Amino acid sequence: MNDLIVGIDLGTTNSEIAINQDGQVNVLPIHGNPIMPSCVGLDPAGKLIVGQAARNQLVASPDNTVLSIKRKMGEEIRVRLGEKEYSPEEISSFILRELKQEAERQLLQPIRKAVITVPAFFNERQRKATQAAGELAGLEVVRIINEPTAAALAYGAGAKEGETMLVYDLGGGTFDVSVVVVEQGVVEVKASHGDTHLGGDDFDQLLVDHAVLQFKRLHNVDLVQDLRALRRLKVVLERAKRTLSDEPYAAVREEYIDGQHHLELELERHDYEQMILPLLERTLTCLHQSLTDAHLSPKDVQKVMLVGGATRTPLVQGLLQERLQLDPRFEINPDLIVAMGAGMQGSVIAGQSRHSILVDITPHTYSTTAISFRHGEGDLYCVPIIHRNTPLPASKSEVVYTMYDDQPAAKVEVYQGEDELPQSNTPIGDFLVEGLSKAPEGNPIVVHFDLDLNGILKVTATEKVTGLAKSVTLDTKGQHHLNLEEARRNISSLVGETQPTAPGQAAAETAATPALAGADELLNTAKDLRKRGEALLEKNISPEDADEIRQLIHQSAAAISENNWTVLNERNETLSDLLFYLED
Ligand code: AMP
C-alpha cells in the first residue's frame, strides 16, 4: 500500500489538514469543523487544549493561551504558557499533533508523513522551524511548499507549461500576492509581495469607526472610551461585513451598547465599498509590484486565484476583474484551498495517481433584469445575482429600483446565462410583486436568490421599506441539461489536467452532490451513532463486528467531508441497524 501523506496548512489564525481519500482530496473536519483555530492553551486543570477549545478561553485566560505563533516561527524566543516556557516550534507542534491525532481517529490508521505549507516570504530559518515543529509532532515532513504554490496546485497548475498565475491572498490580518509560473513541469513562485498588516480586520475597524461616529452624532456618547462596547461592536460589525458580501444591506442592532442606548444601524454595501476601496487599492499596488518584479504585465496572467476569507468581498472580485480583465477563480473554498493543494502534493509524492477536488459550483450565472439608461435610451439588461462558478449552495441578493412614482407593481424576471442582454440568455421564470407602497421612483426592491445543489432556485423579491415579499421556486435543471456541454467545458479547465504524471501536477473536478433535506439532522444522527459505535468497540464484541463498525464510521466521516448526504444517510441506516443488534 502507498504511504499516506497528508497536506497541512499551518496558518496564523487557522489550520487545516487534507488527505486523498479514494482519489478525492478532502479537508478533514477537526472537532466537527474543517477549520481549526491555531490556538494552544492549558485548561484550568493544566491539561493541554488545542483548537476551538483553546480559542474559547483566550479572553478569560490569556496567560494560558497562545495565538498567532506562526508570526514568531524562526525566532529564538520562548513563549509563556502557564508555568512553563516553550519555543515557537514546540507550540506549533501541539497544533500539528492535534491535527494528526484527530485525523488518525477518523481514518483509523496512523499518519506519519506530511506536506506542510508556509508563506512564500518565509526565509530558510522559518522553513526549518516549521519542519522541526512537524518532527516534534511525530510527522516526517516530506516537503515544505509555498502557500501560493499549493493554491495554484489545487486549481490544476502544473499541467500546462509556461502558465502564469496570480494568487491573491487576503486573510484577516495579512495580504500577499504571488506570481506563480510553471516551468519545466515545476510550479514556482516567481515574485511575491504583501502587507503583513492589511486584511479583513482593517475592514472591521473601518465599520467600527463608522458606527462610533454615528452613535456619537445620535446620542452624544463616545464609545471609543468603552472597551467592552468596542469589543461588542467589533463582533457584530464583522458579522455585518460578511452579510454585505451576499446582501446589499445589513442591519445592525445591539441593545444597550453603552448601558443606556441601543445601537441601530443600517449598512449599505455601496457605502461600505467606498470605505474599503483605499485599502483594496493598496493590494492592487502590491499586485502590480509583484508583476513588475517578475517582469510581467497583467496581460501575461492566465489565471487569478483567490485565497483567504476576505476575498469573499465582491469588490475584491470586481476590482480584479476590472483591472486585469480576468475572471478571478473562487470555486474552491478560499479557507481550505491551501490545505487542499498541500493534500494534492502529498498524494503525488505518495504515488497516488488519482487526486482531484470535489467542488459543487453553478456553471451558470443567474440574473434578474433592470432598466439601464447608460446609453441614453432605457435598455433592459441583466443584473447578475449568483455568478457562475459560485460554490453551492449559494444565497445572494441584489437591489433593483422602481422606475416611476407610485409604481404599484414590479415584474421580477429570472435569467440563466452569461450575457448582459436578456435576449441572449435563457429565461427561467418571472413573477409580479403587486401592492407596492406609494413611493417616489427609486423605491428599492431586494431580489434574493437561493440556489441549492439540486438546481432548485428560490427567488424572493421584497419591497425594502414595507417588507412586502413574494417568492417563487424554479427548477433550473432543465437548463442544466441543455447546457451540459458548456458545463463540461467549464469544468474541463479543472478536470482537463486529470492525468498528472509529475510532481506539481494536479486536477480538480466538479460533481453535484445530492442535497437531502435536514443535513443537520443527518450529521447529528451520524455523531450520535459514532459515539455509540465507539462505545461498543470498547466492549467485548467479535472482531468481525468491530471491523464493520470501524468501516462504517470511516465511511460516514468520508461522506461528511464530501458533503455527500445520500451516502451519509445510507451509512447511518446501516450503522443504526448493526448497533441495534449489538447493543444490549
Ligand atoms: P482568513 O485569515 O483567511 O481565515 O480570513 C479571515 C478574514 O476573512 C476575516 O477578516 C473574516 O472577517 C473575513 N471573511 C470571512 N468570511 C467573509 C465573507 N463572507 N465576506 C467578507 N469577509 C469574510
Side-chain angles (χ1 to χ4, degrees):
M1 196 178 81
N2 286 328
D3 258 348
L4 184 67
I5 304 181
V6 296
I8 296 179
D9 172 7
L10 180 61
T12 310
T13 322
N14 297 305
S15 295
E16 297 85 24
I17 180 165
I19 182 191
N20 184 344
Q21 288 171 300
D22 305 323
Q24 211 100 64
V25 177
N26 294 309
V27 173
L28 295 176
I30 302 296
H31 312 136
N33 189 340
I35 296 168
M36 185 186 84
S38 302
C39 196
V40 173
L42 295 178
D43 74 4
K47 191 172 147 270
L48 182 72
I49 45 173
V50 181
Q52 193 58 49
R55 183 74 187 75
N56 292 345
Q57 68 160 30
L58 179 67
V59 178
S61 190
D63 293 344
N64 287 322
T65 318
V66 179
L67 195 65
S68 304
I69 194 65
K70 184 168 172 179
R71 290 190 190 274
K72 304 271 188 301
M73 288 296 266
E75 288 181 32
E76 277 185 39
I77 54 157
R78 310 289 290 172
V79 182
R80 178 163 283 281
L81 180 62
E83 298 296 297
K84 279 184 71 178
E85 289 188 334
Y86 299 89
S87 66
E89 289 89 333
E90 287 163 343
I91 299 284
S92 292
S93 81
F94 297 143
I95 298 168
L96 293 169
R97 184 178 295 274
E98 186 71 16
L99 294 171
K100 168 179 154 39
Q101 288 179 343
E102 269 292 308
E104 283 173 338
R105 262 171 34 82
Q106 284 178 50
L107 302 172
L108 304 169
Q109 71 177 99
I111 293 170
R112 298 196 184 90
K113 297 185 178 182
V115 169
I116 303 182
T117 58
V118 293
F121 62 78
F122 255 27
N123 59 29
E124 210 40 43
R125 192 180 254 241
Q126 292 165 305
R127 285 164 199 264
K128 286 257 159 59
T130 306
Q131 177 134 16
E135 275 152 27
L136 285 173
L139 287 166
E140 181 191 336
V141 183
V142 292
R143 197 160 303 172
I144 295 275
I145 63 170
N146 290 321
E147 288 160 9
T149 306
L153 287 175
Y155 271 114
K160 226 190 266 165
E161 185 60 30
E163 203 176 20
T164 300
M165 293 155 282
L166 262 180
V167 179
Y168 178 102
D169 183 349
L170 188 61
T174 61
F175 167 71
D176 49 85
V177 57
S178 305
V179 180
V180 178
V181 177
V182 181
E183 272 176 6
Q184 292 168 1
V186 177
V187 184
E188 211 187 311
V189 177
K190 276 282 171 209
S192 208
H193 248 270
D195 188 330
T196 47
H197 296 282
L198 174 62
D201 299 347
D202 299 298
F203 303 175
D204 301 344
Q205 190 54 48
L206 288 172
L207 287 174
V208 169
D209 295 346
H210 171 74
V212 167
L213 200 69
Q214 295 297 319
F215 198 79
K216 177 118 198 274
R217 271 198 199 132
L218 220 60
H219 305 293
N220 204 21
V221 176
D222 192 359
L223 294 175
V224 170
Q225 312 304 330
D226 184 344
L227 284 184
R228 214 177 94 82
L230 281 182
R231 259 207 303 272
R232 280 173 67 193
L233 270 185
K234 199 158 164 48
V235 172
V236 284
L237 289 168
E238 196 267 346
R239 207 177 302 139
K241 172 187 78 172
R242 289 178 189 237
T243 303
L244 289 175
S245 290
D246 299 327
E247 309 282 331
Y249 305 99
V252 179
R253 185 183 155 85
E254 271 294 284
E255 297 200 340
Y256 302 109
I257 186 89
D258 61 342
Q260 284 187 12
H261 310 93
H262 304 321
L263 169 85
E264 275 181 280
L265 201 65
E266 185 180 73
L267 300 170
E268 224 182 304
R269 186 196 286 165
H270 177 76
D271 300 337
Y272 167 65
E273 289 180 340
Q274 296 307 309
M275 286 181 210
I276 61 169
L277 187 60
L279 295 179
L280 293 182
E281 290 289 358
R282 267 167 61 194
T283 70
L284 295 180
T285 308
C286 286
L287 187 154
H288 285 290
Q289 189 58 52
S290 68
L291 283 173
T292 308
D293 290 355
H295 308 292
L296 295 168
S297 74
K299 65 178 183 337
D300 299 314
V301 177
Q302 272 108 39
K303 264 188 211 161
V304 182
M305 287 154 283
L306 301 184
V307 181
T311 60
R312 291 196 177 94
T313 312
L315 186 60
V316 168
Q317 299 162 17
L319 280 175
L320 288 169
Q321 206 161 28
E322 188 190 303
R323 302 288 167 90
L324 298 175
Q325 302 292 311
L326 278 170
D327 280 344
R329 309 280 296 261
F330 51 85
E331 304 92 286
I332 305 178
N333 184 329
D335 301 312
L336 308 182
I337 179 172
V338 170
M340 287 191 176
M344 284 189 144
Q345 180 71 78
S347 137
V348 171
I349 298 170
Q352 288 163 313
S353 56
R354 280 192 63 230
H355 49 267
S356 55
I357 286 176
L358 183 85
V359 277
D360 291 309
I361 53 163
T362 163
H364 307 288
T365 297
Y366 291 92
S367 330
T368 189
T369 47
I371 303 268
S372 160
F373 291 96
R374 269 179 291 181
H375 311 297
E377 299 260 302
D379 293 323
L380 204 61
Y381 76 109
C382 283
V383 180
I385 297 189
I386 297 181
H387 289 265
R388 83 182 157 135
N389 291 341
T390 299
L392 293 179
S395 182
K396 310 237 175 224
S397 306
E398 286 294 341
V399 62
V400 292
Y401 301 92
T402 54
M403 286 285 300
Y404 51 90
D405 294 351
D406 300 338
Q407 187 174 318
K411 187 175 178 198
V412 177
E413 297 181 318
V414 181
Y415 282 87
Q416 180 192 71
E418 309 313 313
D419 211 276
E420 243 201 338
L421 299 175
Q423 54 271 32
S424 308
N425 291 330
T426 312
I428 54 171
D430 60 63
F431 62 98
L432 211 56
V433 193
E434 289 170 295
L436 300 179
S437 56
K438 285 192 174 304
E441 67 166 58
N443 181 12
I445 315 282
V446 178
V447 183
H448 184 88
F449 283 10
D450 256 316
L451 182 62
D452 76 8
L453 289 157
N454 293 322
I456 304 296
L457 180 66
K458 186 173 172 214
V459 181
T460 307
T462 310
E463 185 185 25
K464 183 164 176 287
V465 280
T466 58
L468 169 82
K470 178 156 182 193
S471 294
V472 295
T473 299
L474 306 166
D475 187 347
T476 65
K477 263 191 294 218
Q479 281 77 23
H480 275 161
H481 287 300
L482 281 179
N483 288 311
L484 213 58
E485 266 324 297
E486 193 188 316
R488 286 222 174 83
R489 253 180 286 126
N490 191 38
I491 293 165
S492 72
S493 59
L494 296 170
V495 183
E497 304 112 11
T498 47
Q499 299 301 325
T501 52
Q505 283 197 311
E509 67 185 15
T510 58
T513 311
L516 295 184
D520 278 352
E521 207 174 297
L522 282 175
L523 284 171
N524 284 337
T525 310
K527 227 163 38 185
D528 195 45
L529 289 169
R530 180 189 170 138
K531 258 197 217 140
R532 284 167 52 198
E534 284 172 347
L536 266 183
L537 289 176
E538 307 282 317
K539 295 196 176 150
N540 197 13
I541 57 170
S542 75
E544 289 79 7
D545 289 335
D547 249 343
E548 196 170 349
I549 292 178
R550 276 195 206 98
Q551 264 187 28
L552 284 164
I553 292 178
H554 175 107
Q555 289 163 358
S556 300
I560 292 170
S561 50
E562 284 168 15
N563 288 343
N564 195 334
W565 310 128
T566 316
V567 171
L568 184 62
N569 194 27
E570 286 166 10
R571 298 298 175 268
N572 278 355
E573 280 175 10
T574 319
L575 188 55
S576 170
D577 287 347
L578 182 65
L579 296 180
F580 178 77
Y581 286 109
L582 294 176
E583 285 169 336
D584 21 305

